[in-house]
Short mmCIF file of all heavy atoms in Angstrom, two decimals:
data_model
loop_
_atom_site.label_atom_id
_atom_site.label_comp_id
_atom_site.label_asym_id
_atom_site.label_seq_id
_atom_site.Cartn_x
_atom_site.Cartn_y
_atom_site.Cartn_z
N CYS E 110 54.28 -19.32 151.12
CA CYS E 110 55.41 -20.23 151.32
C CYS E 110 55.10 -21.61 150.74
O CYS E 110 55.92 -22.21 150.05
CB CYS E 110 55.72 -20.34 152.82
SG CYS E 110 57.23 -21.26 153.20
N CYS E 111 53.90 -22.12 151.00
CA CYS E 111 53.48 -23.41 150.45
C CYS E 111 53.39 -23.36 148.93
O CYS E 111 53.75 -24.32 148.24
CB CYS E 111 52.14 -23.82 151.03
SG CYS E 111 52.19 -24.38 152.74
N ARG E 112 52.91 -22.23 148.41
CA ARG E 112 52.77 -22.10 146.96
C ARG E 112 54.14 -22.19 146.27
O ARG E 112 54.30 -22.87 145.26
CB ARG E 112 52.07 -20.79 146.62
CG ARG E 112 51.76 -20.64 145.14
CD ARG E 112 50.78 -19.51 144.90
NE ARG E 112 51.28 -18.22 145.32
CZ ARG E 112 50.85 -17.55 146.39
NH1 ARG E 112 49.90 -18.05 147.16
NH2 ARG E 112 51.35 -16.36 146.72
N ILE E 113 55.13 -21.50 146.84
CA ILE E 113 56.48 -21.50 146.26
C ILE E 113 57.15 -22.86 146.38
O ILE E 113 57.76 -23.35 145.42
CB ILE E 113 57.34 -20.41 146.93
CG1 ILE E 113 56.84 -19.01 146.53
CG2 ILE E 113 58.82 -20.59 146.56
CD1 ILE E 113 57.52 -17.88 147.30
N ASN E 114 57.05 -23.47 147.54
CA ASN E 114 57.82 -24.68 147.83
C ASN E 114 57.12 -25.99 147.55
O ASN E 114 57.77 -27.03 147.44
CB ASN E 114 58.27 -24.65 149.30
CG ASN E 114 59.27 -23.55 149.56
OD1 ASN E 114 60.33 -23.50 148.95
ND2 ASN E 114 58.93 -22.65 150.47
N LYS E 115 55.79 -25.97 147.43
CA LYS E 115 55.05 -27.21 147.19
C LYS E 115 54.24 -27.21 145.89
O LYS E 115 54.32 -28.15 145.10
CB LYS E 115 54.12 -27.50 148.37
CG LYS E 115 54.83 -27.89 149.66
CD LYS E 115 53.83 -28.34 150.71
CE LYS E 115 54.53 -28.87 151.95
NZ LYS E 115 53.57 -29.37 152.96
N ILE E 116 53.45 -26.16 145.71
CA ILE E 116 52.52 -26.14 144.57
C ILE E 116 53.23 -25.88 143.25
O ILE E 116 53.01 -26.58 142.26
CB ILE E 116 51.40 -25.11 144.82
CG1 ILE E 116 50.61 -25.50 146.07
CG2 ILE E 116 50.48 -25.03 143.60
CD1 ILE E 116 49.60 -24.46 146.51
N GLU E 117 54.10 -24.88 143.21
CA GLU E 117 54.79 -24.55 141.96
C GLU E 117 55.67 -25.69 141.44
O GLU E 117 55.67 -25.96 140.23
CB GLU E 117 55.61 -23.28 142.14
CG GLU E 117 54.75 -22.03 142.29
CD GLU E 117 55.56 -20.76 142.51
OE1 GLU E 117 56.81 -20.83 142.47
OE2 GLU E 117 54.95 -19.69 142.73
N PRO E 118 56.41 -26.41 142.28
CA PRO E 118 57.27 -27.49 141.76
C PRO E 118 56.51 -28.62 141.07
O PRO E 118 57.06 -29.29 140.19
CB PRO E 118 57.99 -28.00 143.02
CG PRO E 118 58.00 -26.84 143.95
CD PRO E 118 56.68 -26.15 143.71
N ILE E 119 55.24 -28.83 141.44
CA ILE E 119 54.49 -29.95 140.86
C ILE E 119 53.64 -29.52 139.67
O ILE E 119 53.13 -30.36 138.91
CB ILE E 119 53.56 -30.59 141.93
CG1 ILE E 119 53.09 -31.99 141.52
CG2 ILE E 119 52.36 -29.70 142.23
CD1 ILE E 119 54.12 -33.05 141.64
N THR E 120 53.50 -28.22 139.44
CA THR E 120 52.58 -27.72 138.42
C THR E 120 52.87 -28.27 137.03
O THR E 120 51.98 -28.77 136.33
CB THR E 120 52.60 -26.18 138.39
OG1 THR E 120 52.19 -25.69 139.66
CG2 THR E 120 51.65 -25.66 137.33
N GLU E 121 54.11 -28.19 136.59
CA GLU E 121 54.46 -28.65 135.25
C GLU E 121 54.27 -30.17 135.11
O GLU E 121 53.84 -30.66 134.07
CB GLU E 121 55.91 -28.28 134.92
CG GLU E 121 56.32 -28.63 133.49
CD GLU E 121 57.72 -28.18 133.16
OE1 GLU E 121 58.28 -27.34 133.90
OE2 GLU E 121 58.27 -28.66 132.14
N ILE E 122 54.58 -30.90 136.16
CA ILE E 122 54.43 -32.36 136.14
C ILE E 122 52.95 -32.74 136.02
O ILE E 122 52.59 -33.67 135.29
CB ILE E 122 55.03 -32.98 137.42
CG1 ILE E 122 56.51 -32.63 137.56
CG2 ILE E 122 54.84 -34.50 137.42
CD1 ILE E 122 57.38 -33.16 136.45
N LYS E 123 52.09 -32.03 136.72
CA LYS E 123 50.65 -32.31 136.68
C LYS E 123 50.11 -32.27 135.25
O LYS E 123 49.25 -33.08 134.88
CB LYS E 123 49.88 -31.30 137.53
CG LYS E 123 49.97 -31.52 139.01
CD LYS E 123 49.36 -30.36 139.77
CE LYS E 123 47.95 -30.05 139.37
NZ LYS E 123 47.37 -28.91 140.13
N GLU E 124 50.59 -31.33 134.47
CA GLU E 124 50.07 -31.12 133.12
C GLU E 124 50.33 -32.31 132.20
O GLU E 124 49.71 -32.43 131.14
CB GLU E 124 50.67 -29.85 132.53
CG GLU E 124 50.26 -28.58 133.27
CD GLU E 124 51.01 -27.36 132.79
OE1 GLU E 124 51.93 -27.52 131.94
OE2 GLU E 124 50.69 -26.24 133.25
N LYS E 125 51.23 -33.18 132.59
CA LYS E 125 51.60 -34.34 131.77
C LYS E 125 50.83 -35.60 132.17
O LYS E 125 51.08 -36.68 131.64
CB LYS E 125 53.10 -34.60 131.88
CG LYS E 125 53.97 -33.43 131.44
CD LYS E 125 55.44 -33.72 131.68
CE LYS E 125 56.30 -32.52 131.30
NZ LYS E 125 57.74 -32.76 131.59
N HIS E 126 49.89 -35.48 133.10
CA HIS E 126 49.16 -36.64 133.61
C HIS E 126 47.65 -36.42 133.57
O HIS E 126 47.18 -35.29 133.54
CB HIS E 126 49.59 -36.95 135.04
CG HIS E 126 51.03 -37.35 135.18
ND1 HIS E 126 52.06 -36.42 135.22
CD2 HIS E 126 51.62 -38.57 135.26
CE1 HIS E 126 53.22 -37.05 135.34
NE2 HIS E 126 52.98 -38.35 135.36
N ASP E 127 46.93 -37.53 133.59
CA ASP E 127 45.46 -37.48 133.57
C ASP E 127 44.86 -37.61 134.97
O ASP E 127 43.83 -37.03 135.27
CB ASP E 127 44.91 -38.63 132.70
CG ASP E 127 45.44 -38.58 131.28
OD1 ASP E 127 45.48 -37.47 130.72
OD2 ASP E 127 45.81 -39.64 130.74
N VAL E 128 45.52 -38.42 135.80
CA VAL E 128 45.00 -38.73 137.14
C VAL E 128 46.13 -38.55 138.16
O VAL E 128 47.27 -38.94 137.91
CB VAL E 128 44.48 -40.18 137.22
CG1 VAL E 128 43.88 -40.46 138.60
CG2 VAL E 128 43.45 -40.45 136.13
N TRP E 129 45.76 -37.98 139.29
CA TRP E 129 46.73 -37.79 140.38
C TRP E 129 46.34 -38.71 141.53
O TRP E 129 45.29 -38.55 142.14
CB TRP E 129 46.72 -36.34 140.81
CG TRP E 129 47.75 -35.96 141.85
CD1 TRP E 129 48.56 -36.79 142.57
CD2 TRP E 129 48.05 -34.62 142.28
NE1 TRP E 129 49.36 -36.07 143.42
CE2 TRP E 129 49.07 -34.73 143.26
CE3 TRP E 129 47.57 -33.37 141.93
CZ2 TRP E 129 49.60 -33.62 143.90
CZ3 TRP E 129 48.11 -32.26 142.57
CH2 TRP E 129 49.11 -32.39 143.54
N MET E 130 47.19 -39.69 141.83
CA MET E 130 46.95 -40.63 142.92
C MET E 130 47.65 -40.15 144.18
O MET E 130 48.85 -39.88 144.18
CB MET E 130 47.48 -42.02 142.54
CG MET E 130 47.20 -43.09 143.58
SD MET E 130 47.99 -44.70 143.20
CE MET E 130 47.26 -45.06 141.59
N SER E 131 46.89 -40.05 145.25
CA SER E 131 47.43 -39.53 146.50
C SER E 131 46.93 -40.36 147.68
O SER E 131 45.84 -40.94 147.63
CB SER E 131 47.02 -38.06 146.68
OG SER E 131 47.39 -37.58 147.95
N GLY E 132 47.71 -40.39 148.76
CA GLY E 132 47.37 -41.22 149.92
C GLY E 132 46.57 -40.50 150.98
O GLY E 132 46.60 -40.92 152.15
N LEU E 133 45.82 -39.46 150.64
CA LEU E 133 44.99 -38.77 151.63
C LEU E 133 43.99 -39.75 152.25
O LEU E 133 43.47 -40.63 151.57
CB LEU E 133 44.23 -37.61 150.99
CG LEU E 133 44.91 -36.25 150.98
CD1 LEU E 133 46.17 -36.30 150.14
CD2 LEU E 133 43.97 -35.17 150.45
N ILE E 134 43.70 -39.55 153.54
CA ILE E 134 42.77 -40.40 154.26
C ILE E 134 41.74 -39.53 154.96
O ILE E 134 42.07 -38.50 155.55
CB ILE E 134 43.51 -41.30 155.28
CG1 ILE E 134 44.64 -42.06 154.58
CG2 ILE E 134 42.55 -42.29 155.93
CD1 ILE E 134 45.49 -42.91 155.50
N GLY E 135 40.48 -39.93 154.91
CA GLY E 135 39.39 -39.10 155.38
C GLY E 135 39.44 -38.69 156.84
O GLY E 135 39.02 -37.59 157.20
N PHE E 136 39.95 -39.55 157.72
CA PHE E 136 39.91 -39.24 159.15
C PHE E 136 40.91 -38.14 159.53
O PHE E 136 40.86 -37.61 160.65
CB PHE E 136 40.21 -40.50 159.99
CG PHE E 136 41.64 -40.95 160.00
CD1 PHE E 136 42.56 -40.39 160.86
CD2 PHE E 136 42.07 -41.96 159.13
CE1 PHE E 136 43.88 -40.81 160.88
CE2 PHE E 136 43.39 -42.38 159.14
CZ PHE E 136 44.30 -41.81 160.01
N GLN E 137 41.78 -37.73 158.63
CA GLN E 137 42.85 -36.81 158.99
C GLN E 137 42.37 -35.39 159.29
O GLN E 137 42.96 -34.70 160.11
CB GLN E 137 43.91 -36.80 157.88
CG GLN E 137 44.65 -38.14 157.77
CD GLN E 137 45.51 -38.24 156.53
OE1 GLN E 137 45.18 -37.70 155.48
NE2 GLN E 137 46.63 -38.96 156.64
#
Side-chain angles (χ1 to χ4, degrees):
C110 188
C111 286
R112 186 166 62 252
I113 291 172
N114 292 302
K115 290 188 174 182
I116 298 173
E117 290 178 4
I119 197 75
T120 299
E121 185 176 344
I122 301 297
K123 284 171 55 180
E124 295 172 355
K125 301 175 183 178
H126 296 81
D127 302 317
V128 183
W129 185 351
M130 183 186 302
S131 173
L133 270 64
I134 307 176
F136 74 84
Q137 293 169 327

